[in-house]
């Protein structure tokens, strides 16, 4: 039978009040308290972070538990184990003696075991006449059993937090994917909105995600991302609602245009170099003598009219134009060729495109054909893209003709071209793909 008294450490190790309190707390075991030692050990492993013990220290605790003969830890059966250093090192996967002593001290400091030193510091047991244990010196597992309820509660809380953190990470991953794909879809389909700003805000939020994520620092970031996603969805739904009532109106407008084709022959005298031209326009032509009649016809198209070649022909439905801000963000070089070295409207963009196509050597016929298929606004945007990617395109005229043929077959979309240039210019947009 074990005698209950305070044990002071053997040798030079000093006695402290903290050691006394830990011994007393380890002895405060309610009557009838038992635990399966391996289930309790799993709870200790689960609660390792809260107990402030290392994985190597847990290896030593595992070895100590193997020396306890029963599966159930019980105060009635004694809780002191007394292995030799050699046997303990063997069951601790061959851990060196010095390392073994260091991790035993960690377990004592964490309040999971306590020392019960003999008079000479050796670990041994004294048995009675009937073979029972009268006195044992070694390491007591009483603190482990005394804290069983605390350890199990701590382990359950840590497991719940880990499961909650896993759920937060899954929601965050889905939210990141949703925002990235929604912004990409909005840009490619030319939905009005400051998508570049939203993309920058999105990337700024992602950069705040810590490497060591926990519930405290991850929950606010997820809340911001979900609010951003909701804002984007609202913008897209609002755009869709605005598009639905205008569909019938656009159909009526196209019917009127097709039924009453407009002839803009009144603009033709202004495009000729003969006597029908107005004096002020003749003076302007003398100032810009290098401008050819084909360029003037394209200029007239940029200003809202059509050349004589297309007079009286029903206007075909053209693809939807993209926001001017998006075009200028992707292709800022086109601004240098606008009126006064700047572009403030779509008309300025089309005017600049007429200058650029001549500068790049694109023939007037190729440009006119592109305007008839894609529309003057989209053709001007294509020319801005060609100018921006000038170093990669060897034959701008051939490239424009190829895009026009693909557009006639319905195989060319302007959105992906703009997105490709944006991705190349802005790394934050590249991460959305």
């Amino acid at each position: 039978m074990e005698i209950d008294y305070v044990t002071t450490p053997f040798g030079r190790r000093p006695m402290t009040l903290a050691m006394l309190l830990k011994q007393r707390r380890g002895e405060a075991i309610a009557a009838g308290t038992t635990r399966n030692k391996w289930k309790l050990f799993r709870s200790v492993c689960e609660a390792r972070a809260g107990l402030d013990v290392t994985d190597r220290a847990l290896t030593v605790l595992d070895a100590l538990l193997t020396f306890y003969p029963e599966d159930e830890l019980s105060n009635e059966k004694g809780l002191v184990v007394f292995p030799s250093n050699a046997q303990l090192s063997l069951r601790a996967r061959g851990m060196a003696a010095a390392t073994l002593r260091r991790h035993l001290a960690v377990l004592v400091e964490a309040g999971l075991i306590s020392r019960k030193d003999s008079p000479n510091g050796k670990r041994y047991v004294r048995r009675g006449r009937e073979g029972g244990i009268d006195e044992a010196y070694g390491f007591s597992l009483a603190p482990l059993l005394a804290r069983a309820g605390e350890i199990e509660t701590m382990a359950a809380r840590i497991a719940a937090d880990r499961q909650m953190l896993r759920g937060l990470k899954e929601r965050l991953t889905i939210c990141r994917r949703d925002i990235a794909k929604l912004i990409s879809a909005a840009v490619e389909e030319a939905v009005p909105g400051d998508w570049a700003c939203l993309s920058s805000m999105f990337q700024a939020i992602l950069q705040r995600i810590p490497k060591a994520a926990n519930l405290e620092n991850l929950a606010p970031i997820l809340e911001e991302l979900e609010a951003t996603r909701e804002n984007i969805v609202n913008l897209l739904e609002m755009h869709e609602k605005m598009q639905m009532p205008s569909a019938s109106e656009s159909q009526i407008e196209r019917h009127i245009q097709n039924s009453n084709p407009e002839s803009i022959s009144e603009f033709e005298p202004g495009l000729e170099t003969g006597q029908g031209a107005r004096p002020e326009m003749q003076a302007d032509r003398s100032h810009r003598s290098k401008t050819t009649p084909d360029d003037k016809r394209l200029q007239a198209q940029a200003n809202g009219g059509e050349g004589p070649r297309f007079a009286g022909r029903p206007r075909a439905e053209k693809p939807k134009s993209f926001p001017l801000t998006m075009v200028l963000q992707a292709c800022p070089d086109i601004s240098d060729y606008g009126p006064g070295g700047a572009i403030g409207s779509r008309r300025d963009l089309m005017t600049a495109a007429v200058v650029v196509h001549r500068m790049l050597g694109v023939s007037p016929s190729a440009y006119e054909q592109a305007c008839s298929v894609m529309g003057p606004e989209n053709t001007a945007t294509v020319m801005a893209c060609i100018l921006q990617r000038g170093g990669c395109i060897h034959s701008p005229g051939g490239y424009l003709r190829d895009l026009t043929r693909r557009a006639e077959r319905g195989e060319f979309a302007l959105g992906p071209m703009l997105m490709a240039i944006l991705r190349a210019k802005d790394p934050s947009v590249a991460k959305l793909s």
Side-chain angles (χ1 to χ4, degrees):
M1 178 180 181
E2 297 183 24
I3 302 174
D4 185 17
Y5 56 84
V6 175
T7 303
T8 57
F10 172 78
R12 298 181 179 180
R13 294 194 305 272
M15 182 66 180
T16 63
L17 293 179
M19 292 174 62
L20 176 62
L21 292 175
K22 287 177 182 178
Q23 282 190 29
R24 288 306 186 189
R25 187 164 55 244
E27 294 168 0
I29 302 175
T33 301
T34 61
R35 288 292 191 281
N36 182 279
K37 63 180 181 180
W38 299 122
K39 291 182 179 180
L40 183 56
F41 177 71
R42 282 194 291 272
S43 297
V44 173
C45 294
E46 189 74 55
R48 179 172 71 88
L51 296 172
D52 196 22
V53 293
T54 63
D55 53 348
R56 300 294 297 279
L58 292 180
T59 300
V60 176
L61 179 60
D62 181 22
L64 287 175
L65 289 174
T66 62
F67 289 100
Y68 190 78
E70 306 292 337
D71 284 339
E72 294 290 325
L73 294 176
S74 173
N75 196 29
E76 284 74 16
K77 298 178 181 179
L79 292 169
V80 177
V81 292
F82 38 89
S84 64
N85 286 336
Q87 289 297 319
L88 184 57
S89 174
L90 185 62
R91 296 197 187 183
R93 281 72 171 171
M95 190 177 294
T99 307
L100 197 62
R101 287 193 296 269
R102 185 168 66 253
H103 292 301
L104 284 169
V106 171
L107 292 173
V108 173
E109 184 65 24
L112 297 179
I113 64 172
S114 62
R115 299 178 187 273
K116 189 173 182 181
D117 290 343
S118 65
N120 60 1
K122 302 293 184 180
R123 301 179 203 128
Y124 59 87
V125 62
R126 181 180 296 115
R127 300 182 182 276
R129 290 179 179 272
E130 298 178 356
I133 298 176
D134 286 344
E135 190 66 43
Y137 298 99
F139 298 103
S140 176
L141 301 174
L144 181 62
L145 183 60
R147 299 181 62 187
E150 174 194 350
I151 292 171
E152 290 166 349
T153 301
M154 187 184 302
R157 186 181 67 252
I158 291 176
D161 289 348
R162 185 174 61 250
Q163 185 174 2
M164 187 178 300
L165 180 61
R166 185 185 301 113
L168 283 181
K169 288 182 177 179
E170 291 175 352
R171 288 170 56 193
L172 188 141
T173 299
I174 294 174
C175 195
R176 288 177 62 177
R177 182 185 66 200
D178 292 346
I179 293 174
K181 290 184 178 293
L182 287 173
I183 293 178
S184 294
V187 172
E188 291 182 3
E189 297 185 18
V191 177
D194 195 352
W195 301 111
C197 180
L198 278 173
S199 173
S200 300
M201 292 173 55
F202 174 49
Q203 294 301 322
I205 296 174
L206 294 184
Q207 289 174 1
R208 300 205 320 266
I209 298 177
K211 292 183 179 180
N214 54 47
L215 292 176
E216 288 73 20
N217 57 31
L218 200 61
I221 294 176
L222 177 60
E223 185 177 349
E224 287 187 57
L225 286 175
E226 289 179 338
T228 302
R229 178 177 61 184
E230 183 177 359
N231 183 29
I232 294 174
V233 170
N234 290 338
L235 289 174
L236 296 178
E237 289 180 348
M238 186 181 304
H239 173 72
E240 184 66 23
K241 290 178 181 178
M242 293 176 62
Q243 291 292 102
M244 291 175 62
S246 63
S248 58
E249 297 177 5
S250 62
Q251 291 175 0
I252 295 173
E253 181 181 356
R254 288 196 300 273
H255 175 72
I256 293 174
Q257 290 176 350
N258 293 335
S259 300
N260 300 281
E262 298 177 357
S263 173
I264 53 173
S265 58
E266 62 270 18
F267 291 102
E268 293 180 10
L271 297 178
E272 301 295 333
T273 58
Q275 298 178 356
R278 293 195 299 269
E280 62 269 22
M281 298 189 68
Q282 290 178 355
D284 182 68
R285 281 196 298 273
S286 64
H287 178 68
R288 295 181 295 173
S289 58
K290 295 184 179 179
T291 305
T292 64
D294 289 327
D295 290 335
K296 293 185 179 68
R297 182 165 60 255
L298 294 173
Q299 180 69 47
Q301 293 179 25
N303 291 330
E306 295 183 1
R309 179 178 177 182
F310 300 101
R313 181 184 299 178
R315 295 177 181 176
E317 183 180 356
K318 303 299 189 299
K320 184 187 299 182
S321 301
F322 287 81
L324 182 62
T325 54
M326 183 193 304
V327 176
L328 296 181
Q329 182 184 2
C331 310
D333 292 353
I334 193 70
S335 299
D336 297 336
Y337 302 90
I343 292 178
S345 64
R346 296 185 183 276
R347 176 171 292 183
D348 291 345
L349 176 64
M350 291 185 286
T351 301
V354 172
V355 178
V356 168
H357 96 79
R358 184 170 179 271
M359 181 192 71
L360 294 179
V362 177
S363 65
S365 60
Y367 193 82
E368 286 179 5
Q369 182 65 18
C371 289
S372 67
V373 173
M374 294 184 285
E377 292 183 9
N378 282 337
T379 302
T381 303
V382 171
M383 288 307 306
C385 294
I386 293 175
L387 176 66
Q388 195 68 33
R389 298 176 57 194
C392 304
I393 300 174
H394 300 293
S395 176
Y399 185 67
L400 181 62
R401 288 186 184 276
D402 179 67
L403 293 182
T404 303
R405 287 192 293 268
R406 289 167 56 190
E408 285 180 328
R409 298 193 299 267
E411 298 174 355
F412 170 67
L414 189 52
M417 175 183 282
L418 283 174
M419 281 298 297
I421 298 177
L422 283 172
R423 291 189 185 101
K425 290 172 59 62
D426 189 357
S428 63
V429 178
K431 294 179 181 178
L432 295 179
S433 58

